[in-house]
Amino acid sequence: MTQLEGHAGALAVAVARAHGVETMFTLSGAHVFPLYDGAVQADPPMRLLDVRHEQTAAFAAEATGKLTRVPGLAVLTAGPGVTNGVSAVAQAQFAGSPMVVVGGRAPQNRWGTGSLQELDQPPILAPVSKLARTIPTAGDVLGGMHEAFTVARSSHRGPVFVDVPMDELFNASAGEVAPGGPSRGQDPDTDALDTIADLLVGASRPVLVLGTDVWADGAEEAALRLVEELGVPAITNGMGRGIVPGGHPLLATKARGQALGTADLVVVVGTPLDFRLGYGVFGGKDGAEPAQVVHVADSPAQVSGHATMAASVAGDLTACLDGILAAVDRRGRTSYAEWSSTLQETARAAAERDAALLTAEADPVHPARIYGELVPRLADDAVVIGDGGDFVSFAGKFVEPKRPGGWLDPGPYGCLGAGLGAAIAARLARPSAQVVLLLGDGAAGFSLLDVDTLVRHGLPVVMVMGNNSAWGLEKGPMQMLYGYDVAADLAKQTRYDEVVKALGGAGETVTDPRQIGPALDRAFASGVPYLVNVITDVDAAYPRNTFGI
């Protein structure tokens, strides 16, 4: 341990650095000045990344936790600064993203007298945090901050909120800075692993679903090993995308309906059995019997409590996956070649059908055509961020990452406005990679002003907008339900690229599908924040079977 003396802001920064934090995301506020001083005076200084809205700082911290697997750090001033970050904290809770939010707090020596922004904040954050508490004195900061980072990065990962009274944050203290680092989950139950192995050996049409926690738990190599050695078709979602690389013969994303609808066994790893996975009900399609379901989670509390399951296990996901593989090997492997070939044929047929949309010459532009131009231009290490409804739904269909850790979406909380914060985080975390932000025109209204942050801090990002002048995810369903829609239209063909230019970036509007590719080339070559604003057909909606209920 390292002995340290200083004001509480410097102590807090030292603990964050001991846990691997490199950047403090913030928006200036007097309640947290000592934290800034601690960052500036640190040796070496900690990067301060200031934004235009606290939600962006918190979303950047959340995305940093996803990308780096080290908790992101957001410092938010008291009162509205903290409450502006609540949606990002809720997103982190739903997605299992490790992050620590440090809030300013009105001074303790004035508490109850009506000082500026006096608000008891932890009760507001508690329902959407793993831990929410006040660190009451400067002497408690070293231990309180270490606890915050340890809890955030322990399975099941998630957000932690702490606030420190302003007067105490200025006060001095001394103590030891404990080393930080990731923690390993519990060892899985071997009997449960044996049961899962028996189910796999007895199955003829199994499917493996790999979710965000596989990446967060560092189990991506074990997951790919299980897929390839057993020959099990796999579907990926969230940060699990890319664990089985795009184009891999066992990646069944393009045959998802058939895979989940006709499987006899579905093993779901590292993601909840929520609306994205039919609440854990699989099979029963085309005459198939209902599938048996297995849930593998990083911690016991994450195992589904509502689904009917044949087996479940919780623990360190590498140990779970390797344990399942070893248990299968003790029994003798089963060939799923015929099942895999069936799904591959379905995927090939789907790709052939998709080709017409990806090359469509329609006027207005079909949103799929944007992906037809974008996907071939994506490098293997690209980070792709989705912030939108209907337009980003197409991305889930057409973008298949080549590597894990390169896909960011809001997760099951479905929060719009996260994109600019995520783009900031991605550019810092992956300085040499392409960073592509996919924006709906509706989502852009939440955070586009933070292009100013990209410009001020020299962070080039390619932004690609599907601009259908509507809240597309709501317009179609409302018409289906009522025969009309209200509160679903936006201004026609708004020049959001001119907004980006006014903030110091660059961009252009595209209405001709043949010009999308050249515009993307200019964006990637520009070296600045660049928005390709593509005017799309509002009637070309993403086909969906559920509205999330």
Side-chain angles (χ1 to χ4, degrees), residues 122-219:
I124 298 172
L125 276 295
V128 291
S129 304
K130 289 187 70 178
L131 172 68
R133 59 168 293 222
T134 295
I135 300 177
T137 72
D140 296 311
V141 164
L142 286 172
M145 288 293 291
H146 178 68
E147 177 191 35
F149 280 98
T150 300
V151 170
R153 70 191 310 169
S154 300
S155 298
H156 179 64
R157 295 158 187 84
V160 170
F161 173 81
V162 296
D163 61 8
V164 185
M166 183 179 184
D167 49 343
E168 291 294 330
L169 203 54
F170 278 91
N171 285 342
S173 186
E176 292 183 328
V177 180
S183 62
R184 183 182 180 276
Q186 68 183 41
D187 290 329
D189 179 76
T190 54
D191 289 341
L193 298 178
D194 285 339
T195 299
I196 296 168
D198 287 335
L199 291 167
L200 279 166
V201 170
S204 58
R205 300 184 307 280
V207 174
L208 192 65
V209 179
L210 303 172
T212 291
D213 292 337
V214 178
W215 163 258
D217 216 36

Side-chain angles (χ1 to χ4, degrees), residues 254 349-359 368 397-398:
K254 292 187 182 301
E352 291 174 2
R353 291 194 301 271
D354 290 344
L357 291 177
L358 294 170
T359 58
K397 181 179 179 66
F398 296 125

